[in-house]
Amino acid sequence: MKRVLVVDDDPTVSEVVAGYLDRAGFAVDVAADGPAAVAQAASRPPDLVVLDLMLPGMDGLEVCRRIRTAGPLPVIMLTARGEEEDRILGLEVGADDYVTKPFSPRELVLRVESVLRRAGASTALRSEAAEPWLRAGPLALDPTARRATRDGSELALTIREFDLLEFFIRHPGQATSREQLMQRVWGWEFGDLSTVTVHVRRLREKIEDDPAHPRLISTVWGVGYRFDPPRSQEAEVGHGR
């Protein structure tokens, strides 16, 4: 049984969400503020956290950072408004998804199931026989250990940033729309495409020499994005860094 930690200072929201998750077959823990959420996650590690952005004592962004110091953990952020700024704040700290209040509890359960399926698929891949490293210019990526380096230095990537980089390296020179990336990287058939935009921007900040003038991940206007490894070293599969 997968365990979900619900963090919200509104007891009505917590009760309703916990009830729907319980009926969907999840074990549910509840915390009403930031410090309690961090303590709860440490004492009873969840498989996923449903996390309100606005919390007393410690906001959701700081909670997200702290609970992830122990390792990758799927997070769905709850935002009070539908404004883009709130969504981007959650996505930029590595939230795997977000839901805007007011929301349908049934939709939230579907999002939880979707994110957990994706996380489970990544875990299953890691447990299989070791795959060779993928290399593209200054980048090297180990799909089995889920490690990535740039010029030999370790990259600190979120779960979704790693998935996105792996997709790009496996499909060099291919123009891919944001809709296609959402389907093939996130596994979603629908969703807010700003999710993809934010993650591409964050990934550029970590792998490009000049993120304002990207050379590895190009924008294809009217289409989406294209990964362009240096011509002298096309993306390849190989062992080692």
Side-chain angles (χ1 to χ4, degrees):
M1 181 180 292
K2 296 292 186 180
R3 181 170 299 278
V4 178
L5 174 59
V6 177
V7 187
D8 198 299
D9 61 332
D10 185 332
T12 300
V13 172
S14 295
E15 181 179 354
V16 171
V17 170
Y20 271 81
L21 289 169
D22 178 72
R23 288 190 289 275
F26 295 100
V28 184
D29 293 321
V30 175
D33 57 47
V38 174
Q40 183 77 274
S43 62
R44 290 163 64 92
D47 296 290
L48 180 144
V49 180
V50 176
L51 180 61
D52 190 21
L53 182 63
M54 302 300 295
L55 292 169
M58 183 190 304
D59 67 25
L61 302 180
E62 182 61 25
V63 172
C64 187
R65 293 187 187 100
R66 294 197 185 190
I67 63 178
R68 280 186 163 165
T69 57
L73 176 64
V75 172
I76 295 179
M77 197 74 77
L78 301 180
T79 64
R81 303 187 304 274
E83 296 177 5
E84 184 177 9
E85 180 181 356
D86 285 346
R87 299 195 299 269
I88 290 176
L89 279 173
L91 294 171
E92 287 191 337
V93 297
D96 297 271
D97 197 358
Y98 66 89
V99 176
T100 302
K101 294 181 178 179
F103 58 86
S104 161
R106 291 180 180 177
E107 178 189 353
L108 178 58
V109 170
L110 291 175
R111 298 290 187 96
V112 168
E113 293 171 341
S114 174
V115 171
L116 283 173
R117 277 197 303 272
R118 189 71 184 178
S122 297
T123 301
L125 286 174
R126 292 197 296 274
S127 66
E128 295 176 356
E131 287 189 70
W133 284 70
L134 303 175
R135 299 174 59 85
L139 303 172
L141 184 146
D142 182 347
T144 304
R146 292 183 68 83
R147 295 177 55 214
T149 63
R150 182 182 184 277
D151 292 325
S153 298
E154 197 88 13
L155 291 170
L157 302 178
T158 66
I159 294 172
R160 202 61 69 215
E161 288 167 357
F162 184 95
D163 293 340
L164 187 59
L165 179 58
E166 181 177 359
F167 177 87
F168 279 137
I169 291 179
R170 290 186 184 275
H171 301 87
Q174 175 180 310
T176 309
S177 69
R178 292 188 299 168
E179 291 87 351
Q180 290 172 320
L181 288 171
M182 179 162 283
Q183 292 170 4
R184 300 181 67 178
V185 177
W186 276 258
W188 302 347
E189 293 300 323
F190 62 91
D192 190 332
L193 296 179
S194 66
T195 300
V196 177
T197 305
V198 170
H199 279 81
V200 169
R201 186 177 75 231
R202 292 280 291 176
L203 184 58
R204 280 171 168 165
E205 291 172 357
K206 297 179 180 182
I207 69 172
E208 298 278 3
D209 289 326
D210 181 1
H213 300 88
R215 301 183 66 180
L216 293 172
I217 303 176
S218 304
T219 297
V220 182
W221 297 109
V223 180
Y225 303 100
R226 186 183 63 245
F227 181 71
D228 295 312
R231 293 181 181 178
S232 61
Q233 189 175 9
E234 295 294 321
E236 61 182 28
V237 176
H239 292 281
R241 299 187 183 186

